Amino acid sequence: MAKWVYGFDAGRAEGRAEMRDLLGGKGANLAEMSNLGLPVPPGFTITTEVCTWFYRNNRSYPPKLKQDVDTALKHVGEVVDARFGDANQPLLVSVRSGARASMPGMMDTVLNLGLNDKTVRGLAKQTGDERFAYDAYRRFIQMYSGVVLEIEHARLEEILEAEKANKGVELDTELDAADWKRIAGLFKAEVQKLLGRRFPDDVHEQLWGAIGAVFGSWSGARAKTYRRIHNIPEDWGTAVNVQAMVFGNRGETSCTGVAFTRDPSTGENALYGEFLINAQGEDVVAGIRTPQSITRRAREASRSQRPSMEEAMPEAFAELRGIAAGLEKHYRDMQDMEFTVQEGRLYMLQTRTGKRTAKAALRIATDMAREGMITRDEALMRIDPASLDQMLHPMLDPTASRELIATGLAASPGSAAGEIVFSADDAERAAANGHEVILVRLETSPEDIHGMHAAKGILTIRGGMTSHAAVVARGMGRPCVTGAGTLRIDPARGLLIAGNVTLARGDLITIDGAEGRVYRGRVPMIHPEMTAEFALLMEWADARRRLKVHTNADTPLDCETAKKFGAEGVGLCRTEHMFFDADRILAVREMILADDLAGRQSALAKLLPMQRGDFLGIFRVMEDRPVTIRLLDPPLHEFIPHTDDEIAEVARAAGADPQKLRARAIALSEANPMLGHRGCRLGITYPEIYEMQARAIFEAAIQAETETGKPVHLEVMIPLVGFATELDFLAQRIAGVADLVARERQKKPEYLIGTMIELPRAALMAERLAQTAEFFSFGTNDLTQTTLGVSRDDAGSFLGEYLARGVLAQDPFVSIDIDGVGELVRIAVERGRRGRADIKLGICGEHGGDPATIHFCHETGLDYVSCSPFRVPVARLAAAQAAINKR
């Protein structure tokens, strides 16, 4: 028979810490503290299984639950010598939520439940304090009305403020017993007026109303949003904790507070927290009174004259300090505790693993490992890899005020503030004049690269997590928000419109690329600092991981950044990104628009020294680390000139007829460029393009080896291969160029030839491809597009709805679709190794920096992952965690 209710009191409990899934985090920890003999007010937990029943059975309860609750409630009363609903010795309880994952503030709580017109008189007599009793009563009515009866908080708060004004006082503490008694009556009258029924006096009706409200809050808007942000499954449900009340508002020897066993902001090993004398918990949350520091040291640091708990209540503080140390040792992690002192006696109301900043998490994990409390592997597993972005990018000051004007997708982490500009040229000009700017575009194109580089951050109205703006911004380490579809821009008039807010060119905005938010004005920021703990954790991670971590880098600066973050090679150098500089785009357009071999070769001759210099710079920086260079893979529409001015410019440079070039541009236009004339198809139809690139690569490699005395570990990658004959054709042409360069330079360039696996057919034909390819690099951006039949640039228009409606659990462009795309990767790995036992395997799409995808890559047996420079530490840690999990 199912057990729905688990009791606890000091010294014994029916549950324990390991029963978090059933009892929720709060219930499991209350049980554990009780079993440890800590001073916990007695109570009971209604399990998460009841929540599941509640939602599956039209918000009803299991048949035996009421009987179980009555039994548990009677036991609580016996422990504290009180009875629920008794007019002389009333038992009062709190009703709180408690999901298995901590969701602070997301669900509902009711305190002082069990009060009515009769029991409040009993409480006054029992305590000898009528003011306290009626204050507790009005608090209960106010809280119950908001949580259970769903009356807007302001309706009763207005009554309270009016009464204080009538009496000529400002603080709640200045009201006496008669005032609170009158206010309680006014509250109840307002409830009847608004609802057409009396406030419930029956204490059992009150209890079941509160239990239902807590279960109901699991599906409330706050909880749903929190679960979506933190990936908490909807079917987990919440438990309900019913516990005997203890009161921190019983005078100057009573208090309520929150304490952390270590500083949650810095990680310092020192008790940290706040408390309020003569107060209940909601007084701290409501901000009506300013809390006081728990420790004398913290009080002195803040220069407060108000006594700390250590000074005002030394005995209770000493007991709290001892309990805090014991709980941290028991749970082997930093604890977040809630407590109440009632007339000098300390009670523990909650403990849970404390939330902390990324900086604090690093220090706490490394300190605890050095203290011997946890192992190094446990320290590595304590850090969320994605949280390391906080350590590498500026972030908004959490204490700063801000005005949100739009939300979009969190495309590239970090925060930036600057003046609005609407074009790449404006961004470059403004930056050159010393202005900090945010480039705001409908969407970016490769031609915007100079403006993106000049801007402090990028905001686009369209686009997804792997759109051009997102990919380039991550590579540059620029904050970026994409898909902010509620915004409208009018570049011609220089306006950005966000609902009722209209901003002009030059106005200040702030973007938060980690949260996907846009704010009006400049929001203060906190700038990153690389700590000793960060370096130590990375050292431990490198010792544990099997996967190598490479970077996606197209410039020597990108390579320098990635090396600083620990990259062991370049897994993807996109050569098309090198062609968008103003001094190169013209030559590229000449090459593409040329209608004969001679015209193309003339343009390629201009590009050859530029490309050679590009590669030489990268080889110099990377020294003897492997460098994988992908040959040209642009959809042609990204290079074709569109305007009359652009066509005229190309015509002048090439000495050609503008009309002829316009006709050629029209002939080259495509209905679906992403699946069109690009990648290896370009290299086959115009072999001279790849031959020029191969020559530039080999000549640069030989020169770098000569200069540095170190070998260049070169890998040449052919993109978008679907047929083995495509790969064979181009591999032979590249080998021919290598032989030619060897004869000219009297030195044979050493290199591997390989291909990107970014088409389903390539994955299926991997065994045959591996007979030519010496390495595979999974281009999962395009492999996801071609497998799902979804354009990553357009997916933002509907993927949000898919995620919100549960059609998809996650964005497949952010974390790899393991069942679909992942299965193709597994097939390619197995068949590729069948064709070549020592084939080198890696991933170079944007997924290479996603922790969940890195776990998949480890399990699938890849050799390396490659990601943007600023995600290298994330990948190093995720790879270590994958190895630890596998073990």
Side-chain angles (χ1 to χ4, degrees):
M1 184 180 294
K3 183 174 175 60
W4 305 113
V5 175
Y6 286 73
F8 57 85
D9 58 68
R12 58 163 287 282
E14 294 176 302
R16 57 186 186 279
E18 295 78 19
M19 297 170 70
R20 162 181 295 271
D21 290 0
L22 181 67
L23 303 180
K26 185 174 293 183
N29 288 332
L30 284 168
E32 190 73 3
M33 287 196 295
S34 297
N35 288 328
L36 291 171
L38 300 183
V40 176
F44 57 90
T45 300
I46 303 172
T47 70
T48 57
E49 291 178 348
V50 175
C51 187
T52 303
W53 176 291
F54 180 80
Y55 282 103
R56 287 180 180 170
N57 293 275
N58 196 28
R59 299 195 172 217
S60 64
Y61 299 106
K64 192 172 173 288
L65 181 64
K66 186 176 186 305
Q67 178 184 336
D68 291 348
V69 167
D70 287 344
T71 301
L73 200 57
K74 182 180 178 183
H75 176 74
V76 172
E78 290 170 353
V79 173
V80 299
D81 191 24
R83 290 173 298 282
F84 195 52
D86 187 86
N88 297 312
Q89 289 284 103
L91 169 65
L92 304 185
V93 297
S94 63
V95 180
R96 303 173 190 257
S97 64
R100 70 171 83 170
S102 176
M103 297 172 61
M106 293 303 109
M107 289 180 293
D108 290 328
T109 294
V110 177
L111 304 179
N112 305 338
L113 190 145
L115 284 172
N116 56 30
D117 289 346
K118 293 181 180 178
T119 57
V120 70
R121 291 194 292 272
L123 180 65
K125 183 178 179 182
Q126 187 181 32
T127 60
D129 189 340
E130 188 179 30
R131 184 195 180 281
F132 158 75
Y134 279 96
D135 181 21
Y137 191 21
R138 71 88 192 175
R139 287 173 185 265
F140 165 62
I141 296 169
Q142 201 166 3
M143 191 174 289
Y144 193 93
S145 296
V147 169
V148 182
L149 304 180
E150 298 183 343
I151 292 173
E152 188 179 353
H153 175 76
R155 299 300 293 262
L156 301 189
E157 191 65 25
E158 286 169 2
I159 293 172
L160 174 58
E161 292 303 314
E163 288 298 303
K164 287 195 289 188
N166 289 340
K167 191 171 182 178
V169 300
E170 293 185 5
L171 302 176
D172 292 0
T173 50
E174 297 175 278
L175 298 174
D176 58 25
D179 296 324
W180 287 129
K181 187 174 184 179
R182 183 178 64 260
I183 289 167
L186 292 171
F187 280 178
K188 291 174 70 176
E190 182 70 7
V191 168
Q192 182 155 10
K193 173 185 167 186
L194 292 172
L195 301 182
R197 64 179 188 272
R198 291 169 57 84
F199 185 89
D201 285 329
D202 183 286
V203 294
H204 293 281
E205 181 185 347
Q206 293 173 0
L207 177 63
W208 286 101
I211 291 170
V214 171
F215 281 138
S217 67
W218 177 253
S219 61
R222 283 175 300 163
K224 282 183 174 179
T225 301
Y226 190 92
R227 288 202 301 274
R228 176 173 52 78
I229 292 170
H230 295 277
N231 297 313
I232 297 172
E234 185 176 351
D235 61 4
W236 278 8
T238 182
V240 175
N241 298 286
V242 180
Q243 193 172 15
M245 283 295 303
V246 288
F247 298 96
N249 56 338
R250 289 291 305 275
E252 295 303 306
T253 60
S254 301
C255 72
T256 187
V258 174
F260 294 81
T261 56
R262 302 192 187 214
D263 189 319
S265 295
T266 67
E268 181 187 4
N269 188 2
L271 194 63
Y272 173 95
E274 297 175 325
F275 82 116
L276 274 175
I277 293 175
N278 195 20
Q280 279 198 304
E282 72 265 27
D283 296 332
V284 180
V285 177
I288 297 168
R289 294 165 55 193
T290 303
Q292 297 155 244
S293 299
I294 282 187
T295 65
R296 177 178 176 178
R297 177 180 170 221
R299 176 189 68 75
E300 290 174 345
S302 66
R303 298 180 179 176
S304 172
Q305 299 303 309
R306 302 167 70 211
S308 65
M309 183 181 176
E310 184 176 6
E311 295 161 310
M313 300 180 178
E315 292 181 3
F317 173 80
E319 185 181 3
L320 176 65
R321 186 193 286 278
I323 288 173
L327 285 172
E328 181 175 278
K329 185 176 181 181
H330 179 75
Y331 284 99
R332 300 168 63 247
D333 203 353
M334 185 261 275
Q335 294 298 292
D336 167 5
M337 304 162 295
E338 293 179 15
F339 64 91
T340 286
V341 176
Q342 178 176 304
E343 296 178 299
R345 184 176 178 184
L346 174 69
Y347 293 93
M348 301 303 297
L349 305 183
Q350 174 168 283
T351 190
R352 60 188 173 193
T353 299
K355 296 192 179 298
R356 62 206 79 179
T357 64
K359 178 181 178 181
L362 283 173
R363 180 168 178 182
I364 291 168
T366 52
D367 280 357
M368 286 185 168
R370 286 182 289 198
E371 292 163 14
M373 187 179 293
I374 60 176
T375 66
R376 288 184 179 182
D377 281 1
E378 286 174 312
L380 289 167
M381 296 303 293
R382 292 273 173 94
I383 308 300
D384 175 7
S387 73
L388 293 182
D389 280 336
Q390 288 185 37
M391 304 293 295
L392 308 176
H393 299 275
M395 60 180 182
L396 299 184
D397 183 342
T399 64
S401 61
R402 61 200 74 179
E403 180 185 346
L404 181 69
I405 59 171
T407 59
L409 299 174
S412 182
S415 299
E419 300 170 14
I420 297 169
V421 294
F422 295 103
S423 76
D425 290 340
D426 286 348
E428 191 171 51
R429 275 193 296 271
N433 290 325
H435 295 261
E436 295 182 341
V437 299
I438 303 294
L439 177 60
V440 181
R441 302 281 284 158
L442 191 63
E443 56 193 345
T444 62
S445 74
E447 292 181 49
D448 292 323
I449 196 79
H450 60 294
M452 297 172 76
H453 188 266
K456 291 295 182 183
I458 299 133
L459 168 63
T460 68
I461 312 307
R462 297 178 185 161
M465 296 292 287
T466 55
S467 63
H468 175 267
V471 172
V472 173
R474 282 195 289 271
M476 291 179 171
R478 296 287 188 280
C480 178
V481 175
T482 60
T486 59
L487 294 174
R488 290 188 296 119
I489 61 172
D490 184 345
R493 295 167 59 205
L495 298 178
L496 171 65
I497 301 160
N500 296 324
V501 176
T502 299
L503 301 174
R505 181 186 290 110
D507 287 346
L508 286 171
I509 59 170
T510 299
I511 63 170
D512 182 350
E515 297 290 338
R517 293 176 179 168
V518 184
Y519 300 96
R520 185 177 191 172
R522 184 185 296 276
V523 180
M525 295 178 205
I526 298 171
H527 292 278
E529 55 177 316
M530 304 296 285
T531 64
E533 290 81 14
F534 179 88
L536 181 61
L537 194 84
M538 288 294 101
E539 180 185 318
W540 294 349
D542 292 342
R544 290 298 284 115
R545 63 185 168 88
R546 176 189 63 77
L547 282 170
K548 298 288 187 183
V549 177
H550 295 184
T551 189
N552 303 336
D554 312 321
T555 66
L557 180 60
D558 288 345
C559 293
E560 289 279 13
T561 301
K563 269 181 65 178
K564 182 179 71 175
F565 289 138
E568 297 163 296
V570 172
L572 175 62
C573 174
R574 305 175 179 94
T575 55
E576 61 273 9
H577 286 184
M578 300 171 172
F579 287 151
F580 287 103
D581 286 351
D583 60 341
R584 301 185 184 197
I585 188 72
L586 204 55
V588 175
R589 285 173 168 167
E590 280 184 56
M591 173 189 72
I592 289 172
L593 294 177
D595 58 2
D596 58 26
L597 178 62
R600 281 192 296 277
Q601 287 180 330
S602 173
L604 289 168
K606 299 176 185 177
L607 290 171
L608 174 62
M610 300 177 187
Q611 283 269 271
R612 186 167 53 232
D614 292 333
F615 300 134
L616 180 59
I618 289 171
F619 294 147
R620 283 170 174 160
V621 172
M622 297 311 294
E623 298 175 306
D624 57 354
R625 296 170 177 82
V627 176
T628 304
I629 297 175
R630 183 179 73 185
L631 299 179
L632 196 63
D633 181 30
L636 284 185
H637 75 285
E638 294 185 354
F639 288 104
I640 294 173
H642 300 290
T643 68
D644 289 344
D645 287 345
E646 289 172 344
I647 290 172
E649 186 180 24
V650 177
R652 284 193 298 273
D657 178 5
Q659 294 302 324
K660 189 176 178 181
L661 290 185
R662 182 176 292 104
R664 175 71 173 156
I666 292 170
L668 288 172
S669 65
E670 297 177 296
N672 192 344
M674 291 304 293
L675 295 178
H677 196 181
R678 54 172 287 213
C680 68
R681 301 158 192 169
L682 194 66
I684 289 170
T685 53
Y686 304 126
E688 57 275 10
I689 296 176
Y690 277 11
E691 288 171 358
M692 179 278 290
Q693 288 197 294
R695 172 176 284 277
I697 291 168
F698 295 140
E699 289 179 351
I702 291 170
Q703 184 175 342
E705 287 182 348
T706 303
E707 288 180 6
T708 65
K710 295 180 180 180
V712 170
H713 293 289
L714 172 62
E715 300 175 0
V716 179
M717 183 156 65
I718 299 172
L720 214 71
V721 164
F723 295 87
T725 48
E726 293 173 321
L727 180 60
D728 294 343
F729 177 88
L730 290 170
Q732 289 169 11
R733 302 296 287 248
I734 291 165
V737 175
D739 292 340
L740 184 60
V741 171
R743 288 195 297 272
E744 293 171 355
R745 299 297 179 100
Q746 300 298 303
K747 182 176 174 63
K748 182 176 173 62
E750 297 294 331
Y751 69 97
L752 299 179
I753 192 82
T755 187
M756 281 186 100
I757 303 294
E758 47 194 332
L759 298 175
R761 191 180 196 281
L764 297 173
M765 300 303 296
E767 183 174 359
R768 170 62 181 84
L769 292 175
Q771 293 171 21
T772 300
E774 296 168 287
F775 69 89
F776 288 164
S777 182
F778 291 94
T780 50
N781 296 347
D782 275 344
L783 187 57
T784 298
Q785 291 194 106
T786 55
T787 301
L788 302 185
V790 172
S791 163
R792 69 184 184 190
D793 291 324
D794 300 317
S797 63
F798 63 87
L799 269 184
E801 283 297 313
Y802 268 51
L803 297 171
R805 296 175 187 274
V807 176
L808 290 177
Q810 58 195 3
D811 185 334
F813 291 105
V814 174
S815 195
I816 195 168
D817 163 33
I818 290 176
D819 295 335
V821 177
E823 185 62 19
L824 285 172
V825 173
R826 292 189 194 98
I827 288 169
V829 167
E830 179 188 344
R831 295 181 184 180
R833 287 201 167 120
R834 211 155 59 207
R836 184 185 294 269
D838 64 346
I839 192 166
K840 183 178 179 181
L841 302 168
I843 185 174
C844 64
E846 283 301 303
H847 293 114
D850 168 60
T853 304
I854 291 168
H855 280 247
F856 167 78
C857 293
H858 179 93
E859 292 166 3
T860 309
L862 300 193
D863 299 306
Y864 70 89
V865 298
S866 189
C867 57
S868 59
F870 283 85
R871 300 220 84 191
V872 167
V874 174
R876 289 164 69 190
L877 177 57
Q881 292 179 345
I884 294 167
N885 278 339
K886 186 75 171 178
R887 189 193 68 177

